[in-house]
Amino acid sequence: MRQLITITTLATTLFLAGCAAFNPPVAGDSVDTVIARLGKPSQTYTIGNTTLLEYGGGSFGQYSYMARLTDGKLTSYDQTWTVANFEKIKIGEYTKEDVLHLVGRPTEVTGFARSPYEVWNYGFKESGVWNSMMSIYFDDNGIVRKIENGPDLRYDEMRFSW
């Protein structure tokens, strides 16, 4: 019985420590405070007096976060790989830079032999449930020409079975 109490106490302590470990930034935090809380960003962008700190999901990550700071103070910290954000991308108007500032770096960049487009793929968790892949096609001038959403085949178990 004593051993069970010790294990339960240890498990509870570790759980609470894990919850306390992630201390998200709050509006008004300075750049230094944001970086102290979240670590070094995977990418930094500057647009006038606004700084964007990107915390990308990496090759198999399905989430990416962007801290937006104006005049050195945090104005927002959001998950960027969402259908709502992808819907903001305007075909024929948005450039690669616009897309980077809105949703950040893609999971992968590809091209096709018979297509004139460069494709940025974003593997994301659509509605927090579905493994989806948003593909954004750019022409040679870096302008968005097409956007597609479909299943993320990296998570398709049947794809690699015989």
Side-chain angles (χ1 to χ4, degrees):
M1 182 68 174
R2 183 178 172 121
Q3 190 176 18
L4 178 62
I5 292 171
T6 303
I7 291 171
T8 304
T9 303
L10 178 61
T12 303
T13 303
L14 290 173
F15 173 76
L16 292 174
C19 291
F22 181 68
N23 188 11
V26 294
D29 280 351
S30 69
V31 174
D32 293 338
T33 302
V34 172
I35 292 173
R37 289 183 180 188
L38 301 176
K40 181 180 176 187
S42 54
Q43 193 68 36
T44 301
Y45 310 100
T46 303
I47 312 164
N49 65 341
T50 299
T51 301
L52 306 174
L53 304 178
E54 177 185 343
Y55 291 90
S59 298
F60 273 87
Q62 293 183 301
Y63 302 92
S64 184
Y65 293 83
M66 191 82 70
R68 296 178 187 274
L69 300 103
T70 302
D71 296 325
K73 299 293 181 190
L74 183 70
T75 56
S76 66
Y77 175 68
D78 300 302
Q79 204 287 96
T80 59
W81 292 354
T82 65
V83 171
N85 272 348
F86 290 123
E87 286 177 345
K88 292 176 186 176
I89 299 170
K90 294 181 175 62
I91 295 173
E93 292 181 31
Y94 268 49
T95 65
K96 289 180 179 181
E97 191 172 327
D98 295 328
V99 172
L100 285 173
H101 294 166
L102 179 63
V103 295
R105 291 197 170 295
T107 306
E108 66 180 358
V109 177
T110 61
F112 303 100
R114 295 179 183 247
S115 172
Y117 301 125
E118 180 179 287
V119 184
W120 289 8
N121 294 312
Y122 294 84
F124 72 111
K125 200 66 137 172
E126 186 174 344
S127 301
V129 178
W130 298 285
N131 297 318
S132 297
M133 183 69 73
M134 187 66 71
S135 298
I136 303 171
Y137 295 75
F138 295 93
D139 66 16
D140 289 338
N141 295 316
I143 306 294
V144 174
R145 293 298 171 196
K146 181 178 174 183
I147 301 172
E148 291 180 325
N149 188 16
D152 187 344
L153 298 178
R154 298 174 304 167
Y155 296 94
D156 183 1
E157 294 173 15
M158 297 304 293
R159 182 174 181 205
F160 299 106
S161 64
W162 298 97

